[in-house]
Structures are given as C-alpha cells and as structure tokens.
Amino acid sequence: MNNTQSLPWNNPRFRNWIALVRAEKAVVRELTRALAPLDLKIGQLDVMMNIYRHPGMSQQDVARRLLIGRSNITMLLPQLEAQGLIRREGDKKDKRVMRLFLTDDGEARLQEALKVYTKLIDRVMAQSTPAQCDAMGEQMRRIEEMLNEED
C-alpha cells in the first residue's frame, strides 16, 4: 500500500474479521490440546463425525463434505484405520468406491471426543446470548454460501 491509500486498521469490518480469525485459531488450539489425550486430531474427528452421521458414505463424499481434497482424505483414513477406529468396505455395485464405517472402538472414541468438543463449544458460546449465537451462526452460513457461489 502506498501512503495515499487508507490503512484498514480502523475499519470495523477489518478489525472484526481479524477478531473472528483470532478466535477461530484460539478454538482450534484449545480443541487440538483437548483431543490429544484421545489420540485424535481435528481432521480425524471431522471424518469420524461425518461417518457416524452417514454410515457407509464414500471417501469422496467425506472429502466433499469436509471441503478437502481426495489426497487429504486418503492420508486421514489409513491413520484412523490403523487405530482401529474405522473400516473401509468395497461397494457391492461399484468396486472403485470404498464405503466407510466406524468400528465399535471408533464409536466409543467419537463419543468421548464429542464430550470434549461439546464442553469447549459450550464454554465458548456461553460468551453470547442464545440470540447472539443464532445471529452469529446465520452470518457465518451466509458468508459460506456467498463464497461457495463464487466457486
């Protein structure tokens, strides 16, 4: 920026956006720390939550739902499989498709992780009234939709 351009520091949109990003980073840091005793990373938890909610979904469906590339999901799944948390089964109709399921151990670990995650969410969201939480969620959904429309 040259000296004739205004700097964004005093712009409320810029200032509030930076606050949002910093808050997200703080939540990620805290969740990462809280999941460590369960030997889980946030990305693994995201995968497990989706498989739990949609048993038998394909690897591609999980990647699409989590907005990550197939190469990333290909790295996460073997880790979860090696820990005995998920299992992959070939699709009966299309042998190229792998269907994903949680194991009993995976379901138990997910339940423990959800307790940790819910506790953190409750702690963080207690900073806002229910109406503020709803407004924040609606705003984030509008931002996501707007940016997804531009893709």
Side-chain angles (χ1 to χ4, degrees):
M1 280 187 183
N2 63 42
N3 290 338
T4 61
Q5 293 177 315
S6 71
L7 296 172
W9 321 135
N10 293 324
N11 177 331
R13 288 180 173 164
F14 183 87
R15 189 174 55 247
N16 291 326
W17 184 259
I18 295 302
L20 172 79
V21 170
R22 291 177 62 90
E24 186 269 343
K25 288 180 186 245
V27 168
V28 166
R29 184 181 60 241
E30 183 62 22
L31 183 57
T32 299
R33 186 199 62 73
L35 290 174
L38 297 174
D39 196 22
L40 283 177
K41 295 180 175 77
I42 294 173
Q44 294 171 321
L45 176 59
D46 287 342
V47 169
M48 291 174 66
M49 286 189 299
N50 275 277
I51 295 171
Y52 180 81
R53 292 184 69 208
H54 309 282
M57 68 187 317
S58 72
Q59 293 179 193
Q60 288 181 337
D61 290 340
V62 173
R64 195 174 12 258
R65 193 174 280 273
L66 295 178
L67 305 174
I68 60 175
R70 284 190 294 178
S71 61
N72 288 348
I73 198 74
T74 303
M75 291 172 53
L76 285 170
L77 295 177
Q79 296 167 358
L80 291 168
E81 203 169 27
Q83 291 182 51
L85 303 176
I86 67 162
R87 71 178 192 282
R88 294 188 266 186
E89 296 178 8
D91 186 284
K92 292 177 175 69
K93 295 178 184 172
D94 186 345
K95 296 299 178 194
R96 298 171 295 174
V97 175
M98 295 301 284
R99 300 286 172 192
L100 304 171
F101 300 90
L102 290 180
T103 63
D104 290 342
D105 287 346
E107 221 172 293
R109 182 97 50 98
L110 175 63
Q111 294 304 321
E112 289 301 310
L114 286 175
K115 289 176 191 172
V116 168
Y117 200 8
T118 301
K119 183 178 176 181
L120 176 60
I121 290 169
D122 287 343
R123 192 171 114 217
V124 169
M125 297 308 278
Q127 307 304 307
S128 305
T129 66
Q132 289 170 325
C133 288
D134 289 342
M136 187 183 338
E138 183 55 37
Q139 183 64 30
M140 294 302 108
R141 284 185 285 278
R142 283 196 307 267
I143 290 169
E144 179 187 12
E145 287 172 11
M146 183 264 308
L147 292 174
N148 284 340
E149 287 173 2
E150 293 177 3
D151 285 344

